């Protein structure tokens, strides 16, 4: 005899939970109407489901010309339909949200969709071909159950709980005028493992678990519950890293031995980093079931067998430097910048030379015209300054690519004839005082002319030496960023800043002075006036610029994807 288990049960009035009664009936061969017991519970009458079709739907939001901030990309979902032999028996729709979307995207996007919201839009699509003119007494108008499987777009470094969401659909849900809140009606509590086991028995196969980013339209459409699990060569999230590796190998084929190994090291470094969670024994292992997934309920939908790239001994930084300046593929250089950054450039900026004092104005105008390279240039750094200038809304036609005599960092710049705009690289190094550049004498701090609402444009700083050399501070951004660049130039003269950049300065007096100079416009300020506010180097044993004992970066020191 089953013990009463309902919350309101009393000795005088024993009560049992509905699923407890239904399971007892299923075991004993008794029947219960669908209103009393979930029709998915296994029993003598079934359900005996069969997978009779699947499709991939693209849920598109209607055009919102008056509210572009509410416009979102489409949501791709894969829908597998399961039916029973009976004419009026309910269906099951197993829905998988495909990468790059996530399950919570389907449940949380704003309104203004063709059928109210993404979830209702999905329900409308799957109920379009369902016959709703059936006996309303059958199953209380139940059309079936939507089973929403969880998916993730990107690998996560935590063990996430994989929740299945269930939503029963009725004849009223097929009505376009229905205002039923499906999201509110969807079960918010995760099904228990017992319930999921019932679902698995009803479907006739385990639920597919998709490794992060692998629930793509192609893989989802080709997946079969009983099909072979042929290992895929590369997980979809690693496609970019694999393409980068191949481009590095292609570019290295035409280089000499030393530079060849450096470029190979660049591609191998990214590949080793990318596959760390996808190889056997890796941690975290993205290709195996999470610990909280019962292997009796879930099955891995796709498997991978990745081989690590061969080890090389090239200079990573030499390879990255060569790619930024000489890569035969603009895509290779663009990906290297995205993955690792530029070791010599902190970014590109646009300045209005009309407001600059001499000799800075002369350095940025006279030398551009006299040092213009002949013919096309394949340097990605050269392309970046041209792109920065072309993106400015006030740039006139006829931009000119050139160089300016900066003592360190990329010398490429681009100039527009009208107005007098110049795009240039901000270097990561400012030379130490002394020959041949000279000693810093004056500074000009100013806000750049990049597009965007004031005061979002970053600030930069020019430095003029007693030898009339013009240099840039190794940093850009807000006042605290520029103050940090001044501190770096004083505390670590000649040192190159890290690819990840400088941390904000905590020197409030220096930051306030820099902000005042930036806001009042380009003016010449004695360098000593700024350096007097810097003060002594803090006693910080963890300063990355004071602990450079090894020329080769370790795996921890190398830049990671960003």
């Amino acid at each position: 005899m089953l013990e009463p288990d309902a919350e309101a049960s009393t000795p005088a009035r024993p009560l049992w939970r509905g699923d407890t009664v239904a399971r007892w009936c299923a075991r004993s061969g008794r029947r219960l109407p669908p209103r009393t017991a979930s029709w998915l519970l296994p029993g003598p009458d079934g359900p005996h489901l069969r997978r009779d079709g699947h499709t991939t739907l693209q849920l598109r939001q209607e055009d919102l010309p008056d509210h572009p901030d509410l416009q979102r990309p489409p949501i791709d979902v894969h829908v597998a339909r399961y039916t029973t032999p009976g004419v009026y028996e309910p269906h099951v729709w197993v829905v998988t949200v495909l990468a790059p979307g996530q399950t919570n995207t389907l449940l949380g996007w704003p309104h203004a969709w063709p059928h109210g919201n993404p979830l209702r839009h999905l329900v409308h699509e799957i109920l379009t071909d369902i016959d709703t003119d059936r006996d309303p007494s059958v199953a209380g108008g139940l059309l079936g159950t939507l089973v929403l499987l969880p998916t993730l777009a990107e690998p996560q470094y935590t063990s996430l709980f994989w929740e299945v969401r269930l939503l029963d659909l009725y004849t009223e849900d097929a009505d376009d005028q229905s205002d039923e809140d499906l999201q509110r009606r969807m079960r918010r509590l995760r099904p228990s493992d017992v319930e999921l086991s019932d679902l698995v028995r009803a479907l006739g196969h385990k639920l597919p678990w998709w490794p992060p980013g692998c629930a793509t339209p192609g893989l989802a459409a080709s997946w079969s519950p009983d099909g072979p699990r042929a290992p895929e060569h590369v997980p979809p999230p690693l496609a970019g890293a694999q393409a980068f590796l191949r481009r590095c190998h292609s570019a290295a084929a035409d280089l000499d031995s030393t530079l060849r190994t450096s470029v190979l090291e660049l591609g191998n470094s990214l590949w080793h980093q990318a596959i760390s969670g996808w190889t056997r024994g890796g941690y975290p292992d993205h290709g195996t079931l999470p610990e909280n997934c019962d292997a009796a309920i879930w099955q891995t939908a796709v498997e991978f067998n990745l081989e690590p790239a061969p080890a090389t001994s090239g200079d990573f930084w030499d390879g990255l430097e060569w790619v930024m300046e000489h890569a035969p593929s603009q895509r290779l250089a663009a990906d290297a910048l995205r993955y690792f950054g530029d070791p010599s450039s902190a970014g590109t900026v646009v300045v209005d030379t009309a407001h600059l004092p001499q000799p800075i104005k002369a350095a940025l105008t006279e030398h551009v015209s006299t040092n213009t390279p002949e013919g096309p240039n394949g340097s990605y750094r050269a392309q970046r300054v041209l792109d920065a200038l072309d993106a400015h809304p006030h740039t006139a036609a006829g931009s000119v690519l050139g160089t300016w005599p900066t003592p360190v960092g990329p010398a490429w710049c681009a100039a527009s004839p009208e107005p007098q705009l110049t795009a240039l690289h901000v270097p990561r190094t400012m030379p130490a005082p002394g020959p041949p550049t000279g000693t810093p004498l004056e500074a000009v701090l100013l806000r750049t002319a990049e597009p965007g609402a004031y005061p979002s444009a970053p600030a930069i700083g020019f430095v003029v030496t007693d030898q009339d050399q013009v240099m840039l501070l190794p940093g850009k951004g807000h006042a605290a960023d520029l103050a940090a660049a001044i501190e770096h130039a004083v505390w670590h003269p000649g040192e190159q800043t890290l690819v990840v950049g400088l941390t904000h300065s905590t020197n409030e007096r220096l930051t306030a002075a820099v902000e005042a100079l930036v806001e009042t416009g380009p003016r010449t300020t004695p360098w000593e006036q700024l350096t007097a506010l810097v003060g002594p180097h803090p006693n910080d044993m963890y300063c990355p610029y004071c602990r450079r004992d090894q020329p080769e970066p370790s795996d921890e020191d190398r830049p990671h994807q960003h």
Side-chain angles (χ1 to χ4, degrees):
M1 184 66 181
L2 295 176
E3 292 293 331
D5 57 1
E7 294 183 1
S9 178
T10 64
R13 188 171 178 266
L15 297 174
W16 289 263
R17 291 175 50 180
D19 59 343
T20 302
V21 175
R23 291 179 192 284
W24 179 83
C25 291
R27 288 197 304 269
S28 61
R30 305 289 183 89
R31 296 182 180 181
L32 282 178
R35 295 181 184 179
T36 306
S38 170
W39 74 276
L40 283 176
L41 287 173
D45 300 319
H48 306 286
L49 298 175
R50 65 174 183 270
R51 194 170 189 256
D52 72 343
H54 64 93
T55 185
T56 299
L57 301 175
Q58 187 174 77
L59 308 180
R60 286 186 173 274
Q61 193 178 13
E62 62 185 12
D63 293 334
L64 302 173
D66 297 332
H67 301 282
D69 55 323
L70 296 179
Q71 197 75 47
R72 299 293 186 272
I75 304 177
D76 295 329
V77 295
H78 180 266
V79 181
R81 187 176 66 180
Y82 295 77
T83 60
T84 52
V87 179
Y88 295 116
E89 292 297 327
H91 296 69
V92 170
W93 296 273
V94 178
V95 177
T96 305
V97 182
L98 305 178
Q102 298 185 31
T103 305
N104 58 2
T105 315
L106 179 67
L107 302 177
W109 276 16
H111 291 271
W113 281 66
H115 301 285
N117 58 54
L119 181 59
R120 172 151 292 284
H121 188 28
L122 170 64
V123 170
H124 179 275
E125 293 294 327
I126 65 178
L127 294 184
T128 299
D129 299 328
I130 297 298
D131 180 17
T132 58
D133 296 332
R134 51 201 245 171
D135 186 351
S137 64
V138 176
L142 180 67
L143 297 178
T145 300
L146 183 149
V147 180
L148 183 60
L149 299 181
T151 56
L152 287 176
E154 298 293 339
Q156 304 290 327
Y157 293 92
T158 57
S159 180
L160 299 179
F161 206 81
W162 295 86
E163 292 188 356
V164 176
R165 310 295 291 272
L166 301 178
L167 174 64
D168 289 333
L169 301 179
Y170 297 88
T171 54
E172 294 81 2
D173 296 322
D175 186 357
D176 282 342
Q177 306 302 319
S178 174
D179 58 357
E180 178 69 33
D181 188 351
L182 298 178
Q183 291 171 318
R184 178 183 56 81
R185 204 174 77 198
M186 177 174 281
R187 283 182 50 178
R188 298 191 177 276
L189 296 179
R190 65 171 295 272
S192 66
D193 287 346
V194 175
E195 292 176 291
L196 292 181
S197 297
D198 291 339
L199 175 61
V200 166
R201 283 194 290 269
L203 297 179
H205 63 80
K206 298 178 183 179
L207 299 177
W209 175 81
W210 293 96
C214 296
T216 62
L219 291 178
S222 62
W223 181 82
S224 173
D226 303 318
R229 300 290 181 267
E232 294 290 329
H233 293 293
V234 178
L238 302 188
Q242 186 198 43
F244 183 81
L245 175 68
R246 290 179 174 176
R247 285 190 171 90
C248 285
H249 280 246
S250 176
D254 299 327
L255 303 175
D256 58 43
S257 58
T258 302
L259 189 55
R260 182 191 304 119
T261 56
S262 296
V263 175
L264 290 176
E265 177 71 18
L266 192 66
N268 292 344
S269 176
L270 177 65
W271 183 247
H272 281 302
Q273 177 182 321
I275 68 175
S276 61
W278 295 92
T279 54
R280 288 188 175 91
Y283 181 80
D285 192 343
H286 300 308
T288 59
L289 289 177
E291 294 181 358
N292 49 16
C293 285
D294 189 343
I297 299 174
W298 298 91
Q299 59 179 318
T300 304
V302 60
E303 299 176 355
F304 305 98
N305 185 16
L306 298 177
E307 295 294 333
T312 54
S313 57
D315 189 307
F316 174 90
W317 298 109
D318 283 351
L320 185 58
E321 186 73 30
W322 181 87
V323 166
M324 288 292 99
E325 195 62 63
H326 304 289
S329 165
Q330 293 282 297
R331 172 68 181 275
L332 170 61
D335 287 344
L337 179 68
R338 178 166 57 92
Y339 290 131
F340 303 117
D342 190 328
S344 296
S345 171
T348 57
V349 293
V350 179
V351 296
D352 189 345
T353 59
H355 303 297
L356 291 176
Q358 296 291 358
I360 299 174
K361 181 177 181 180
L364 290 178
T365 55
E366 297 175 5
H367 290 84
V368 170
S369 59
T370 58
N371 291 318
T372 302
E374 297 182 0
N377 187 279
S379 168
Y380 185 60
R381 287 171 176 156
Q383 187 61 48
R384 281 160 60 193
V385 291
L386 285 172
D387 291 343
L389 196 60
D390 291 341
H392 198 284
H394 299 147
T395 300
S399 297
V400 178
L401 175 66
T403 60
W404 71 293
T406 176
V408 291
W412 295 110
C413 64
S416 173
E418 187 65 36
Q420 300 174 23
L421 300 176
T422 298
L424 60 145
H425 288 273
V426 176
R428 296 191 184 277
T429 308
M430 196 174 91
T437 57
T439 301
L441 193 64
E442 300 169 328
V444 177
L445 309 182
L446 72 155
R447 195 174 300 281
T448 58
E450 294 188 13
Y454 181 89
S456 62
I460 59 172
F462 289 96
V463 177
V464 182
T465 71
D466 55 6
Q467 300 297 318
D468 294 333
Q469 292 280 353
V470 178
M471 304 178 292
L472 270 172
L473 288 173
K476 65 185 182 72
H478 299 294
D481 300 301
L482 218 52
I486 296 173
E487 291 174 339
H488 183 271
V490 173
W491 290 336
H492 310 287
E495 287 283 346
Q496 191 172 22
T497 66
L498 300 178
V499 178
V500 294
L502 295 166
T503 58
H504 289 177
S505 172
T506 58
N507 188 328
E508 295 181 0
R509 294 179 60 203
L510 177 60
T511 301
V514 169
E515 186 172 12
L517 290 172
V518 170
E519 295 302 326
T520 54
R523 63 176 63 201
T524 301
T525 301
W527 178 249
E528 291 183 355
Q529 187 179 104
L530 293 173
T531 58
L533 299 173
V534 172
H537 187 288
N539 184 17
D540 187 355
M541 64 178 298
Y542 298 104
C543 177
Y545 306 102
C546 298
R547 295 166 59 85
R548 287 189 170 182
D549 300 325
Q550 299 178 355
E552 274 298 308
S554 65
D555 291 339
E556 291 77 10
D557 293 331
R558 284 177 177 169
H560 296 280
Q561 300 181 41
H562 60 275

